[in-house]
Amino acid sequence: MEDDRDRGLLYDSDPPSPSLSPPLSPTRPFALTFFDRERHVTFLEMMYHMLPRPYQSQEINHLTLAYFVISGLDILDALDRVHKDAVADWVLSFQAHPRSKADLDNGQFYGFHGSRSSQFPSKDNAIFTPNGSHLASTYSALAILKIVGYNLSNIDSESMLTSMRNLQQSDGSFMPIHIGAERDLRFLYCAAAICFMLNNWNGMDREKAKEYILNCQSYDGGFGLSPGSESHGGAAYCAIASLRLMGFIGDDCLSNASAPSSKANIRSLLDWSLQRQFADGGIQGRPNKPSDTCYAFWIGATMGILGANKFIDEMALRSFLLTCQSEYGGFAKSPGVLPDLYHSYYGLAAFSILGEAGLKPLCLELGVTEAAATGL
């Protein structure tokens, strides 16, 4: 999260906020005192039909951008604005397929490409390496398919999960792509979510993954992306959501915070998380940083999974989020700047956690609505 690499799922440094119109003028303040559902539906519907030109720099993350749009519309109970079968067909066109079962031993990952360009063969020292499928893109693809009601049993899960094991490292972490990259909690979470959605855990060694997660908990109670790194709100979510998906913590983990099933220091994590709510009502990702819309989800969902949302000042948080609501629809990172898809989606997700009327409830650990998670 500290740089621009592999930013398909989580950002720490600011993601690009493509302009949809001129910047807000200081003489023209905008603020709504209510959640404007229709503005947000219009914003996402527009993004569904055509992304603005500044998003060209994020073409490699096309599937993840689509996840923000489709899942956002689902939270808003507005999936009728899209053609579900067309969405499913489009997503399926990004899947990488082995030519034969023998290819499953070639070290490549047969998941989903993040965009059309990553499907193009590339030439490196006269060796063609056409497969660029990525864990974050695969998570996004499967999440979208669940949301639009596609039956995941039709997916070639055997090839996907068998090859995904190649991405797990000896310490339990995951790389996102077969040719080498960072390895940290973001991609371990993607792997856990993929196995959960496919209802098949052959794609990872859960015990090794659990040990890696526990090694990422810091002295202050939070979690870093990797062992010894700074505690961060997004890493905390990836750690706790993964443990939940893998079955190492349950609904009663707050009352059984010392249970040996997870060995994570839950009480220390709660203390660290509660300190992230800032004076303006918003939530920061780590100490000495300003409030940011997306951490209302990353920290809020972490607290929700642990059954501790009652300790958040929800009224203050809601007030902060409303100041980030844009007159163009969507949400900005902070008050007074333009909206972007990333913060818009997690702003909507945060309002769902807060129980906003008219929004569907979330399956917090999976990042989709409960209806999509259960197939109802």
Side-chain angles (χ1 to χ4, degrees), residues 2-37:
E2 298 301 327
D3 56 33
D4 290 342
R5 293 171 295 174
D6 297 313
R7 52 162 66 157
L9 183 63
L10 304 174
Y11 294 89
D12 182 36
S13 56
D14 294 349
S17 300
S19 299
L20 303 181
S21 55
L24 297 180
S25 166
T27 61
R28 187 169 59 92
F30 174 79
L32 281 178
T33 58
F34 63 94
F35 178 85
D36 195 334
R37 176 185 177 276

mmCIF file of all heavy atoms in Angstrom, residues 2-37:
data_model
loop_
_atom_site.group_PDB
_atom_site.id
_atom_site.type_symbol
_atom_site.label_atom_id
_atom_site.label_comp_id
_atom_site.label_asym_id
_atom_site.label_seq_id
_atom_site.Cartn_x
_atom_site.Cartn_y
_atom_site.Cartn_z
ATOM 1 N N GLU A 2 2.160 1.106 0.115
ATOM 2 C CA GLU A 2 3.014 2.266 0.240
ATOM 3 C C GLU A 2 3.470 2.811 -1.111
ATOM 4 O O GLU A 2 4.162 3.802 -1.156
ATOM 5 C CB GLU A 2 4.269 1.906 1.072
ATOM 6 C CG GLU A 2 3.941 1.480 2.495
ATOM 7 C CD GLU A 2 3.211 2.546 3.267
ATOM 8 O OE1 GLU A 2 3.471 3.738 3.031
ATOM 9 O OE2 GLU A 2 2.372 2.202 4.089
ATOM 10 N N ASP A 3 3.158 2.129 -2.219
ATOM 11 C CA ASP A 3 3.580 2.619 -3.516
ATOM 12 C C ASP A 3 2.500 2.331 -4.535
ATOM 13 O O ASP A 3 1.390 1.960 -4.195
ATOM 14 C CB ASP A 3 4.918 2.000 -3.931
ATOM 15 C CG ASP A 3 4.860 0.477 -3.918
ATOM 16 O OD1 ASP A 3 3.779 -0.059 -4.221
ATOM 17 O OD2 ASP A 3 5.885 -0.142 -3.606
ATOM 18 N N ASP A 4 2.832 2.528 -5.799
ATOM 19 C CA ASP A 4 1.831 2.420 -6.852
ATOM 20 C C ASP A 4 1.730 1.032 -7.437
ATOM 21 O O ASP A 4 0.940 0.797 -8.344
ATOM 22 C CB ASP A 4 2.168 3.407 -7.983
ATOM 23 C CG ASP A 4 1.950 4.836 -7.545
ATOM 24 O OD1 ASP A 4 1.239 5.019 -6.547
ATOM 25 O OD2 ASP A 4 2.484 5.744 -8.197
ATOM 26 N N ARG A 5 2.524 0.077 -6.989
ATOM 27 C CA ARG A 5 2.504 -1.260 -7.564
ATOM 28 C C ARG A 5 1.323 -2.061 -7.023
ATOM 29 O O ARG A 5 0.945 -1.933 -5.875
ATOM 30 C CB ARG A 5 3.813 -1.982 -7.252
ATOM 31 C CG ARG A 5 5.022 -1.375 -7.954
ATOM 32 C CD ARG A 5 6.306 -1.986 -7.434
ATOM 33 N NE ARG A 5 6.511 -1.648 -6.032
ATOM 34 C CZ ARG A 5 7.508 -2.147 -5.303
ATOM 35 N NH1 ARG A 5 8.341 -3.026 -5.821
ATOM 36 N NH2 ARG A 5 7.662 -1.790 -4.043
ATOM 37 N N ASP A 6 0.792 -2.938 -7.900
ATOM 38 C CA ASP A 6 -0.276 -3.868 -7.499
ATOM 39 C C ASP A 6 -1.404 -3.156 -6.775
ATOM 40 O O ASP A 6 -1.892 -3.615 -5.754
ATOM 41 C CB ASP A 6 0.288 -4.971 -6.613
ATOM 42 C CG ASP A 6 1.314 -5.817 -7.331
ATOM 43 O OD1 ASP A 6 1.013 -6.217 -8.462
ATOM 44 O OD2 ASP A 6 2.378 -6.065 -6.765
ATOM 45 N N ARG A 7 -1.817 -1.992 -7.293
ATOM 46 C CA ARG A 7 -2.828 -1.234 -6.586
ATOM 47 C C ARG A 7 -4.231 -1.631 -7.021
ATOM 48 O O ARG A 7 -5.158 -0.836 -7.003
ATOM 49 C CB ARG A 7 -2.627 0.262 -6.787
ATOM 50 C CG ARG A 7 -2.494 0.693 -8.242
ATOM 51 C CD ARG A 7 -2.736 2.167 -8.394
ATOM 52 N NE ARG A 7 -1.730 2.964 -7.743
ATOM 53 C CZ ARG A 7 -1.469 4.214 -8.091
ATOM 54 N NH1 ARG A 7 -2.083 4.767 -9.113
ATOM 55 N NH2 ARG A 7 -0.581 4.921 -7.429
ATOM 56 N N GLY A 8 -4.388 -2.907 -7.433
ATOM 57 C CA GLY A 8 -5.692 -3.339 -7.902
ATOM 58 C C GLY A 8 -6.736 -3.450 -6.820
ATOM 59 O O GLY A 8 -7.914 -3.345 -7.080
ATOM 60 N N LEU A 9 -6.361 -3.661 -5.552
ATOM 61 C CA LEU A 9 -7.356 -3.886 -4.509
ATOM 62 C C LEU A 9 -7.318 -2.812 -3.438
ATOM 63 O O LEU A 9 -8.333 -2.262 -3.048
ATOM 64 C CB LEU A 9 -7.140 -5.255 -3.869
ATOM 65 C CG LEU A 9 -8.154 -5.651 -2.806
ATOM 66 C CD1 LEU A 9 -9.534 -5.762 -3.432
ATOM 67 C CD2 LEU A 9 -7.782 -6.950 -2.151
ATOM 68 N N LEU A 10 -6.146 -2.503 -2.910
ATOM 69 C CA LEU A 10 -6.022 -1.559 -1.818
ATOM 70 C C LEU A 10 -5.050 -0.454 -2.177
ATOM 71 O O LEU A 10 -4.033 -0.687 -2.802
ATOM 72 C CB LEU A 10 -5.498 -2.251 -0.550
ATOM 73 C CG LEU A 10 -6.299 -3.439 -0.042
ATOM 74 C CD1 LEU A 10 -5.575 -4.076 1.117
ATOM 75 C CD2 LEU A 10 -7.664 -2.982 0.396
ATOM 76 N N TYR A 11 -5.334 0.739 -1.741
ATOM 77 C CA TYR A 11 -4.431 1.865 -1.913
ATOM 78 C C TYR A 11 -4.053 2.411 -0.541
ATOM 79 O O TYR A 11 -4.884 2.497 0.345
ATOM 80 C CB TYR A 11 -5.102 3.022 -2.656
ATOM 81 C CG TYR A 11 -5.485 2.767 -4.080
ATOM 82 C CD1 TYR A 11 -6.729 2.240 -4.384
ATOM 83 C CD2 TYR A 11 -4.617 3.074 -5.107
ATOM 84 C CE1 TYR A 11 -7.095 2.032 -5.690
ATOM 85 C CE2 TYR A 11 -4.982 2.868 -6.424
ATOM 86 C CZ TYR A 11 -6.218 2.353 -6.707
ATOM 87 O OH TYR A 11 -6.590 2.156 -7.999
ATOM 88 N N ASP A 12 -2.802 2.854 -0.421
ATOM 89 C CA ASP A 12 -2.446 3.684 0.720
ATOM 90 C C ASP A 12 -2.088 5.056 0.188
ATOM 91 O O ASP A 12 -2.615 6.062 0.600
ATOM 92 C CB ASP A 12 -1.275 3.082 1.493
ATOM 93 C CG ASP A 12 -0.923 3.904 2.707
ATOM 94 O OD1 ASP A 12 -1.868 4.438 3.308
ATOM 95 O OD2 ASP A 12 0.259 4.019 3.040
ATOM 96 N N SER A 13 -1.121 5.086 -0.753
ATOM 97 C CA SER A 13 -0.884 6.334 -1.449
ATOM 98 C C SER A 13 -2.137 6.644 -2.243
ATOM 99 O O SER A 13 -2.891 5.764 -2.612
ATOM 100 C CB SER A 13 0.311 6.194 -2.385
ATOM 101 O OG SER A 13 0.114 5.126 -3.278
ATOM 102 N N ASP A 14 -2.372 7.934 -2.489
ATOM 103 C CA ASP A 14 -3.612 8.332 -3.131
ATOM 104 C C ASP A 14 -3.756 7.686 -4.496
ATOM 105 O O ASP A 14 -2.856 7.788 -5.332
ATOM 106 C CB ASP A 14 -3.660 9.851 -3.322
ATOM 107 C CG ASP A 14 -3.707 10.567 -1.999
ATOM 108 O OD1 ASP A 14 -3.913 9.900 -0.986
ATOM 109 O OD2 ASP A 14 -3.537 11.806 -1.996
ATOM 110 N N PRO A 15 -4.887 7.019 -4.771
ATOM 111 C CA PRO A 15 -5.132 6.571 -6.133
ATOM 112 C C PRO A 15 -5.490 7.772 -6.982
ATOM 113 O O PRO A 15 -5.911 8.804 -6.459
ATOM 114 C CB PRO A 15 -6.331 5.635 -5.978
ATOM 115 C CG PRO A 15 -7.042 6.148 -4.793
ATOM 116 C CD PRO A 15 -5.981 6.698 -3.871
ATOM 117 N N PRO A 16 -5.322 7.677 -8.295
ATOM 118 C CA PRO A 16 -5.705 8.797 -9.140
ATOM 119 C C PRO A 16 -7.180 9.120 -8.959
ATOM 120 O O PRO A 16 -8.003 8.235 -8.826
ATOM 121 C CB PRO A 16 -5.417 8.284 -10.560
ATOM 122 C CG PRO A 16 -4.455 7.154 -10.369
ATOM 123 C CD PRO A 16 -4.785 6.561 -9.035
ATOM 124 N N SER A 17 -7.497 10.403 -8.933
ATOM 125 C CA SER A 17 -8.877 10.848 -8.809
ATOM 126 C C SER A 17 -9.238 11.594 -10.080
ATOM 127 O O SER A 17 -9.183 12.825 -10.121
ATOM 128 C CB SER A 17 -9.058 11.753 -7.588
ATOM 129 O OG SER A 17 -8.719 11.071 -6.417
ATOM 130 N N PRO A 18 -9.559 10.874 -11.150
ATOM 131 C CA PRO A 18 -9.790 11.524 -12.432
ATOM 132 C C PRO A 18 -10.879 12.575 -12.351
ATOM 133 O O PRO A 18 -11.916 12.375 -11.723
ATOM 134 C CB PRO A 18 -10.197 10.360 -13.343
ATOM 135 C CG PRO A 18 -9.600 9.159 -12.697
ATOM 136 C CD PRO A 18 -9.688 9.425 -11.224
ATOM 137 N N SER A 19 -10.631 13.680 -12.987
ATOM 138 C CA SER A 19 -11.573 14.791 -12.941
ATOM 139 C C SER A 19 -12.776 14.504 -13.826
ATOM 140 O O SER A 19 -12.635 14.122 -14.976
ATOM 141 C CB SER A 19 -10.887 16.076 -13.411
ATOM 142 O OG SER A 19 -9.800 16.389 -12.578
ATOM 143 N N LEU A 20 -13.929 14.717 -13.269
ATOM 144 C CA LEU A 20 -15.161 14.600 -14.051
ATOM 145 C C LEU A 20 -15.666 15.978 -14.455
ATOM 146 O O LEU A 20 -16.558 16.109 -15.271
ATOM 147 C CB LEU A 20 -16.234 13.874 -13.238
ATOM 148 C CG LEU A 20 -15.849 12.486 -12.749
ATOM 149 C CD1 LEU A 20 -17.006 11.867 -11.994
ATOM 150 C CD2 LEU A 20 -15.453 11.614 -13.915
ATOM 151 N N SER A 21 -15.125 17.014 -13.850
ATOM 152 C CA SER A 21 -15.512 18.390 -14.113
ATOM 153 C C SER A 21 -14.488 19.270 -13.433
ATOM 154 O O SER A 21 -13.600 18.780 -12.736
ATOM 155 C CB SER A 21 -16.922 18.659 -13.562
ATOM 156 O OG SER A 21 -16.973 18.340 -12.200
ATOM 157 N N PRO A 22 -14.565 20.609 -13.574
ATOM 158 C CA PRO A 22 -13.574 21.477 -12.959
ATOM 159 C C PRO A 22 -13.556 21.317 -11.445
ATOM 160 O O PRO A 22 -14.548 20.948 -10.825
ATOM 161 C CB PRO A 22 -14.054 22.878 -13.368
ATOM 162 C CG PRO A 22 -14.874 22.670 -14.587
ATOM 163 C CD PRO A 22 -15.534 21.335 -14.396
ATOM 164 N N PRO A 23 -12.403 21.583 -10.813
ATOM 165 C CA PRO A 23 -12.311 21.482 -9.354
ATOM 166 C C PRO A 23 -13.330 22.372 -8.665
ATOM 167 O O PRO A 23 -13.730 23.414 -9.195
ATOM 168 C CB PRO A 23 -10.873 21.940 -9.064
ATOM 169 C CG PRO A 23 -10.140 21.740 -10.360
ATOM 170 C CD PRO A 23 -11.146 21.967 -11.436
ATOM 171 N N LEU A 24 -13.723 21.968 -7.479
ATOM 172 C CA LEU A 24 -14.663 22.768 -6.713
ATOM 173 C C LEU A 24 -14.040 24.113 -6.369
ATOM 174 O O LEU A 24 -12.881 24.192 -5.973
ATOM 175 C CB LEU A 24 -15.045 22.034 -5.426
ATOM 176 C CG LEU A 24 -15.760 20.698 -5.605
ATOM 177 C CD1 LEU A 24 -16.059 20.098 -4.243
ATOM 178 C CD2 LEU A 24 -17.032 20.871 -6.392
ATOM 179 N N SER A 25 -14.795 25.150 -6.526
ATOM 180 C CA SER A 25 -14.293 26.480 -6.212
ATOM 181 C C SER A 25 -14.451 26.760 -4.732
ATOM 182 O O SER A 25 -15.465 26.426 -4.123
ATOM 183 C CB SER A 25 -15.091 27.521 -7.013
ATOM 184 O OG SER A 25 -14.854 28.813 -6.509
ATOM 185 N N PRO A 26 -13.443 27.410 -4.115
ATOM 186 C CA PRO A 26 -13.571 27.728 -2.695
ATOM 187 C C PRO A 26 -14.737 28.660 -2.408
ATOM 188 O O PRO A 26 -15.212 28.755 -1.283
ATOM 189 C CB PRO A 26 -12.231 28.388 -2.356
ATOM 190 C CG PRO A 26 -11.403 28.358 -3.576
ATOM 191 C CD PRO A 26 -12.179 27.794 -4.688
ATOM 192 N N THR A 27 -15.195 29.389 -3.459
ATOM 193 C CA THR A 27 -16.328 30.288 -3.258
ATOM 194 C C THR A 27 -17.650 29.584 -3.512
ATOM 195 O O THR A 27 -18.696 30.185 -3.419
ATOM 196 C CB THR A 27 -16.215 31.499 -4.199
ATOM 197 O OG1 THR A 27 -16.243 31.019 -5.548
ATOM 198 C CG2 THR A 27 -14.914 32.261 -3.945
ATOM 199 N N ARG A 28 -17.584 28.314 -3.870
ATOM 200 C CA ARG A 28 -18.795 27.558 -4.174
ATOM 201 C C ARG A 28 -18.805 26.278 -3.359
ATOM 202 O O ARG A 28 -18.690 25.178 -3.881
ATOM 203 C CB ARG A 28 -18.852 27.252 -5.665
ATOM 204 C CG ARG A 28 -20.162 26.610 -6.115
ATOM 205 C CD ARG A 28 -20.248 26.594 -7.635
ATOM 206 N NE ARG A 28 -19.150 25.862 -8.232
ATOM 207 C CZ ARG A 28 -19.201 24.566 -8.538
ATOM 208 N NH1 ARG A 28 -20.283 23.884 -8.296
ATOM 209 N NH2 ARG A 28 -18.168 23.958 -9.096
ATOM 210 N N PRO A 29 -18.945 26.393 -2.033
ATOM 211 C CA PRO A 29 -18.929 25.190 -1.199
ATOM 212 C C PRO A 29 -20.149 24.323 -1.477
ATOM 213 O O PRO A 29 -21.208 24.817 -1.846
ATOM 214 C CB PRO A 29 -18.956 25.753 0.228
ATOM 215 C CG PRO A 29 -19.616 27.089 0.080
ATOM 216 C CD PRO A 29 -19.195 27.604 -1.255
ATOM 217 N N PHE A 30 -19.952 23.032 -1.313
ATOM 218 C CA PHE A 30 -21.054 22.098 -1.526
ATOM 219 C C PHE A 30 -21.136 21.154 -0.341
ATOM 220 O O PHE A 30 -20.133 20.598 0.092
ATOM 221 C CB PHE A 30 -20.840 21.283 -2.798
ATOM 222 C CG PHE A 30 -21.866 20.199 -2.989
ATOM 223 C CD1 PHE A 30 -23.122 20.495 -3.477
ATOM 224 C CD2 PHE A 30 -21.569 18.890 -2.653
ATOM 225 C CE1 PHE A 30 -24.066 19.499 -3.651
ATOM 226 C CE2 PHE A 30 -22.513 17.882 -2.824
ATOM 227 C CZ PHE A 30 -23.762 18.192 -3.326
ATOM 228 N N ALA A 31 -22.312 20.998 0.175
ATOM 229 C CA ALA A 31 -22.492 20.041 1.266
ATOM 230 C C ALA A 31 -23.949 19.601 1.283
ATOM 231 O O ALA A 31 -24.861 20.417 1.159
ATOM 232 C CB ALA A 31 -22.126 20.678 2.599
ATOM 233 N N LEU A 32 -24.152 18.307 1.396
ATOM 234 C CA LEU A 32 -25.480 17.750 1.568
ATOM 235 C C LEU A 32 -25.572 17.191 2.977
ATOM 236 O O LEU A 32 -24.634 16.567 3.462
ATOM 237 C CB LEU A 32 -25.755 16.633 0.562
ATOM 238 C CG LEU A 32 -26.139 17.033 -0.867
ATOM 239 C CD1 LEU A 32 -26.309 15.786 -1.710
ATOM 240 C CD2 LEU A 32 -27.406 17.852 -0.882
ATOM 241 N N THR A 33 -26.690 17.400 3.605
ATOM 242 C CA THR A 33 -26.870 16.902 4.971
ATOM 243 C C THR A 33 -27.563 15.540 4.971
ATOM 244 O O THR A 33 -27.919 15.043 6.031
ATOM 245 C CB THR A 33 -27.696 17.899 5.791
ATOM 246 O OG1 THR A 33 -28.958 18.112 5.148
ATOM 247 C CG2 THR A 33 -26.957 19.230 5.930
ATOM 248 N N PHE A 34 -27.752 14.961 3.780
ATOM 249 C CA PHE A 34 -28.392 13.659 3.691
ATOM 250 C C PHE A 34 -27.661 12.824 2.642
ATOM 251 O O PHE A 34 -26.959 13.359 1.770
ATOM 252 C CB PHE A 34 -29.871 13.793 3.318
ATOM 253 C CG PHE A 34 -30.102 14.401 1.956
ATOM 254 C CD1 PHE A 34 -30.277 13.593 0.835
ATOM 255 C CD2 PHE A 34 -30.135 15.782 1.791
ATOM 256 C CE1 PHE A 34 -30.484 14.150 -0.419
ATOM 257 C CE2 PHE A 34 -30.330 16.342 0.533
ATOM 258 C CZ PHE A 34 -30.504 15.531 -0.565
ATOM 259 N N PHE A 35 -27.808 11.523 2.746
ATOM 260 C CA PHE A 35 -27.215 10.606 1.778
ATOM 261 C C PHE A 35 -28.054 10.649 0.508
ATOM 262 O O PHE A 35 -29.238 10.308 0.522
ATOM 263 C CB PHE A 35 -27.189 9.188 2.363
ATOM 264 C CG PHE A 35 -26.643 8.149 1.429
ATOM 265 C CD1 PHE A 35 -25.278 7.935 1.339
ATOM 266 C CD2 PHE A 35 -27.496 7.373 0.652
ATOM 267 C CE1 PHE A 35 -24.770 6.972 0.474
ATOM 268 C CE2 PHE A 35 -26.999 6.401 -0.206
ATOM 269 C CZ PHE A 35 -25.633 6.212 -0.298
ATOM 270 N N ASP A 36 -27.449 11.064 -0.611
ATOM 271 C CA ASP A 36 -28.186 11.256 -1.856
ATOM 272 C C ASP A 36 -28.017 10.025 -2.752
ATOM 273 O O ASP A 36 -27.136 9.966 -3.611
ATOM 274 C CB ASP A 36 -27.684 12.511 -2.572
ATOM 275 C CG ASP A 36 -28.634 12.961 -3.669
ATOM 276 O OD1 ASP A 36 -29.372 12.108 -4.201
ATOM 277 O OD2 ASP A 36 -28.650 14.160 -3.997
ATOM 278 N N ARG A 37 -28.873 9.037 -2.551
ATOM 279 C CA ARG A 37 -28.763 7.769 -3.270
ATOM 280 C C ARG A 37 -28.787 7.958 -4.771
ATOM 281 O O ARG A 37 -27.976 7.363 -5.508
ATOM 282 C CB ARG A 37 -29.897 6.826 -2.843
ATOM 283 C CG ARG A 37 -29.915 5.509 -3.605
ATOM 284 C CD ARG A 37 -31.125 4.656 -3.238
ATOM 285 N NE ARG A 37 -31.166 3.428 -4.038
ATOM 286 C CZ ARG A 37 -31.691 3.361 -5.262
ATOM 287 N NH1 ARG A 37 -32.223 4.448 -5.818
ATOM 288 N NH2 ARG A 37 -31.697 2.204 -5.919
#
